[in-house]
Amino acid sequence: GENVEQHPSTLSVQEGDSAVIKCTYSDSASNYFPWYKQELGKRPQLIIDIRSNVGEKKDQRIAVTLNKTAKHFSLHITETQPEDSAVYFCAASIRGNSGGSNYKLTFGKGTLLTVNP
Amino acid sequence: NAGVTQTPKFRVLKTGQSMTLLCAQDMNHEYMYWYRQDPGMGLRLIHYSVGEGTTAKGEVPDGYNVSRLKKQNFLLGLESAAPSQTSVYFCATRGMPYEQYFGPGTRLTVT
């Protein structure tokens, strides 16, 4: 099955700096890569996603890049703010045996991002 | 709309007891999922369903059973709870095209 590795497990930055979280995946058939943010005690929420026909996607201060050849993708957060502090999870889709598409996600183990004021 | 809700929010069980976690959604989504979240382990898929009356095993299905008798509900059962099942359980649904929406979670402790 799919295996997703995420690094680093913890990341501490100063407010205003950039943060980068990297993930690699094993299944070359994966074609959907979302990023979720989970604040302490809350549910995970989608912040950005990318499909394999796109190399980069940006939404205000966050961006995701995808390198299909190398099977890795990264989350970039610029001008970090204290409210960006949370656990971030990457994930990759895997096609199931019953047909359909992108209905199972394999998650990385998460990165705890701390933004220091 | 309530989105995805989970019942109960917290529960403490003794080893060997059984319980059922309920996930309900009002978004008319076909796909539903049960995950468990443990420190340092991310989210791991227990079981999932691609529609009413269907279920399938995920990454860590042992010790759990599920049922999807109605489209809006997805039940997760523990027949004989073990301390290793202490975790936070999240239900999720899949919208269009691929985004998964999570419930608020159930924190389960097995002593």
Side-chain angles (χ1 to χ4, degrees):
Chain A
E2 176 67 282
N3 183 48
V4 176
E5 299 283 342
Q6 183 172 346
H7 299 280
S9 57
T10 61
L11 179 60
S12 182
V13 300
Q14 290 300 121
E15 183 176 358
D17 287 350
S18 295
V20 180
I21 302 170
K22 299 182 179 181
C23 289
T24 60
Y25 61 98
S26 61
D27 191 338
S28 58
S30 291
N31 59 0
Y32 173 65
F33 308 92
W35 287 88
Y36 283 82
K37 175 184 180 182
Q38 185 179 29
E39 297 176 353
L40 187 63
K42 300 288 182 64
R43 72 190 79 188
Q45 292 192 299
L46 180 73
I47 56 171
I48 195 166
D49 57 13
I50 192 167
R51 300 187 209 180
S52 59
N53 58 347
V54 176
E56 183 174 358
K57 184 176 178 181
K58 191 173 181 180
D59 183 4
Q60 299 183 331
R61 295 186 298 107
I62 60 173
V64 57
T65 58
L66 171 65
N67 183 328
K68 282 204 71 182
T69 302
K71 290 190 283 188
H72 68 70
F73 56 111
S74 300
L75 177 71
H76 305 254
I77 305 174
T78 59
E79 300 172 22
T80 53
Q81 301 167 2
E83 52 265 38
D84 294 329
S85 295
V87 177
Y88 291 81
F89 293 98
C90 64
S93 68
I94 185 168
R95 202 175 283 268
N97 294 330
S98 303
S101 64
N102 295 319
Y103 60 80
K104 287 202 298 181
L105 292 177
T106 299
F107 285 84
K109 293 184 178 181
T111 296
L112 174 61
L113 173 64
T114 303
V115 180
N116 302 300
Chain B
N1 290 347
V4 183
T5 59
Q6 292 182 232
T7 308
K9 289 184 172 55
F10 304 94
R11 185 72 185 269
V12 178
L13 286 180
K14 294 187 187 301
T15 297
Q17 288 185 321
S18 62
M19 77 164 293
T20 300
L21 284 68
L22 170 63
C23 176
Q25 54 113 350
D26 61 3
M27 296 182 286
N28 201 35
H29 290 164
E30 292 291 340
Y31 300 126
M32 297 186 74
Y33 311 83
W34 276 107
Y35 294 93
R36 60 177 289 172
Q37 184 174 36
D38 303 294
M41 296 298 293
L43 291 148
R44 292 183 292 170
L45 183 64
I46 305 171
H47 286 280
Y48 64 98
S49 168
V50 301
E52 180 179 319
T54 75
T55 63
K57 294 180 180 179
E59 179 186 355
V60 288
D62 294 344
Y64 305 95
N65 56 76
V66 287
S67 64
R68 183 99 181 268
L69 298 179
K70 294 183 179 181
K71 184 178 183 178
Q72 63 268 33
N73 295 337
F74 194 27
L75 278 64
L76 178 71
L78 286 72
E79 292 185 347
S80 180
S84 61
Q85 294 178 303
T86 293
S87 189
V88 179
Y89 292 86
F90 285 99
C91 174
T93 69
R94 197 201 92 180
M96 291 300 291
Y98 308 121
E99 179 176 355
Q100 290 197 13
Y101 298 86
F102 286 83
T106 295
R107 186 173 295 275
L108 175 66
T109 302
V110 183
T111 62

